[in-house]
Amino acid sequence: MELLCGYSSICFSKYLKENGKIDTIERDEERAKEALENIKQMELSDKIEVFIGDAVEILPKFNKKYDVIFIDAAKGKYPFFLQEAIRMSKKDTLIVADNILYKGYVMSDYNKHKQRTAVRNLREYIKEASEDPKLETEIFEIGDGISISKVLS
Ligand SMILES: C[S@@+](CC[C@H](N)C(=O)[O-])C[C@H]1O[C@@H](n2cnc3c(N)ncnc32)[C@H](O)[C@@H]1O
């Protein structure tokens, strides 16, 4: 299977407003290098910045507010990513999380040891995103599940 690293950022870049920018984080150096190469080939290097490292360490250093925040990384860290996303949001920011239903495990009674932590954290993400009064959240059963939260204030 061919992996197109940077694919999401490249797709999102089509919808950037004039002078809009994308920041993306990748902790795997090889994938980050490949993403940089793909971004360069698409002539998007001035629009997409790739930060190499663990998002758990890098995100707390970000102090910008974003219009759209896309979460598509370690599932065990989704509740942390949600809190960071809320911190970097403003009214009408969209927080999008991919793989939120994780092969159907999240909405089933799945409790096997193997993916238990990921499933527990994805369930926690859904609970927090659904119950936070600052967010309006919808879960879509598309692909592996997508959650979209609109920040209300
Ligand atoms: C499903 S892929 C995402 C692909 C990405 N949306 C794209 O289009 O290139 C998940 C990626 O998240 C990265 N990742 C997982 N946990 C991470 C973390 N804590 N910090 C930074 N990157 C992480 C993995 O190395 C992997 O490349």
Side-chain angles (χ1 to χ4, degrees), residues 4-9 25-28 31 53-56 70 72-74 77 81 99:
L4 177 54
C5 299
Y7 178 76
S8 314
S9 298
I25 305 173
E26 173 54 64
R27 72 175 169 193
D28 181 294
R31 289 180 182 205
D54 193 329
V56 173
F70 180 55
D72 184 19
K77 295 287 184 301
F81 294 149
N99 308 113

Side-chain angles (χ1 to χ4, degrees), residues 17-35:
K17 53 189 175 194
E18 216 187 324
N19 300 323
K21 293 263 165 65
I22 294 174
D23 291 332
T24 182
I25 305 173
E26 173 54 64
R27 72 175 169 193
D28 181 294
E29 278 199 31
E30 280 306 305
R31 289 180 182 205
K33 260 198 248 168
E34 202 183 309

Side-chain angles (χ1 to χ4, degrees), residues 2 21-22 36 42 50-51 54 71 87 94 103 106 117 121 123 125 130 151:
E2 197 170 315
K21 293 263 165 65
I22 294 174
L36 282 164
M42 298 296 288
V50 180
F51 292 79
D54 193 329
I71 301 169
R87 183 182 64 78
L94 292 180
K103 304 175 187 172
V106 171
T117 307
N121 280 288
R123 286 178 183 150
Y125 181 104
S130 307
V151 178

